[in-house]
Amino acid sequence: MIYFAMSKGRLVEKSAALLKKCGVDVSVLLEDTRKLVLESPDKKFGFFLVKPADVPVYVESGVADLGIAGKDTLLEEDRDLYELLDLGIGKCRLCLAGPPERRSALTGPHLRVATKYVNTARRVFAERGEDVELIKLNGSVELAPVTGLSDVIFDVVETGSTLKANGLVVLEEVISGVSARLVANKVSLKLKSADILPLVEKLKEVIA
Ligand code: PRP
């Protein structure tokens, strides 16, 4: 059996659609259930439903052989695993965003930046030689500049609708091409290559 760590939330349906095109029976993924371990009816695949940030944890440990995670999460977690494929789904970008008046005042000391991605933000600002105050949040990041908790945010932007609904704008696109990736545990790729590699080839065909 191949064990997959899958992000709960917006990536599940798109990931399931891709796997279905490869002949994987994903019917269990589309069921409305609170179960966190699911098995395909043919017992070829097991699925663990986890928070997006935990996909790399499960794959690095080997508990899951494969995983589907956003590049944003992979950059942030920086785990020891193989990134096999860009699946081309969940496309977004990591941006600095804030109120429109920040357009002319994006840099400067003591800029307060709220983000779920503190490790990535720390690297980005260190490379620029900019000293900022990072405020770690776990969600609803757009609320921070609206309430005065931060000056700007560093976050993923997909459609831009959350920014717009909260009166915020993209100030700078920092990392583009953020999309979902197929990742593999390094040992699993060797031990289960006979099962994993044909699936990777099928996925390549489907994406193309
Ligand atoms: C993400 C992100 C933004 C939003 C961007 O949050 O942090 O808030 O999606 O998407 P959009 O550009 O299409 O509006 P998510 O929905 O994952 O929820 P969260 O606030 O709980 O992190």
Side-chain angles (χ1 to χ4, degrees):
M1 189 179 265
I2 297 179
Y3 291 97
F4 248 104
M6 308 278 288
S7 298
K8 285 197 281 190
R10 56 172 90 186
L11 264 185
V12 165
E13 281 183 22
K14 287 177 182 168
S15 305
L18 267 185
L19 292 173
K20 190 177 176 184
K21 285 184 190 164
C22 298
V24 179
D25 186 339
V26 293
S27 50
V28 285
L29 282 176
L30 306 174
E31 286 172 7
D32 185 17
T33 174
R34 295 288 297 168
K35 279 183 76 173
L36 300 172
V37 181
L38 303 168
E39 276 182 12
S40 63
D42 58 10
K43 308 280 182 211
K44 285 186 181 166
F45 295 90
F47 301 101
F48 304 129
L49 297 180
V50 304
K51 289 271 184 188
D54 295 336
V55 170
V57 182
Y58 278 89
V59 174
E60 183 189 49
S61 71
V63 168
D65 303 305
L66 296 174
I68 295 179
K71 183 68 181 175
D72 51 332
T73 304
L74 297 174
L75 287 171
E76 180 65 13
E77 290 295 321
D78 197 21
R79 297 280 173 164
D80 188 22
L81 37 74
Y82 288 132
E83 192 179 309
L84 298 180
L85 276 181
D86 182 346
L87 298 173
I89 53 174
K91 284 183 184 164
C92 54
R93 51 216 167 106
L94 273 163
C95 297
L96 279 169
E101 54 272 23
R102 272 278 158 196
R103 281 196 177 110
S104 55
L106 185 51
T107 54
H110 312 305
L111 187 75
R112 296 169 307 155
V113 183
T115 185
K116 292 184 277 195
Y117 304 98
V118 277
N119 296 328
T120 312
R122 195 175 291 116
R123 283 198 295 271
V124 164
F125 287 106
E127 277 167 20
R128 299 168 171 220
E130 286 177 28
D131 187 20
V132 301
E133 180 189 342
L134 294 177
I135 301 167
K136 161 80 179 170
L137 292 177
N138 295 297
S140 302
V141 181
E142 291 81 0
L143 185 61
V146 171
T147 55
L149 180 69
S150 75
D151 301 309
V152 297
I153 62 173
F154 177 67
D155 198 15
V156 285
V157 178
E158 189 173 0
T159 61
S161 56
T162 313
L163 288 181
K164 195 173 175 195
N166 291 287
L168 305 173
V169 295
V170 171
L171 299 168
E172 186 187 330
E173 185 172 317
V174 180
I175 301 174
S176 51
V178 175
S179 53
R181 309 295 159 100
L182 177 73
V183 293
N185 173 267
K186 290 187 165 180
V187 176
S188 298
L189 197 58
K190 288 196 185 108
L191 297 183
K192 297 189 179 180
S193 61
D195 293 321
I196 292 175
L197 294 181
L199 177 65
V200 173
E201 288 309 312
K202 274 187 202 152
L203 273 166
K204 276 185 192 166
E205 283 168 28
V206 166
I207 296 162

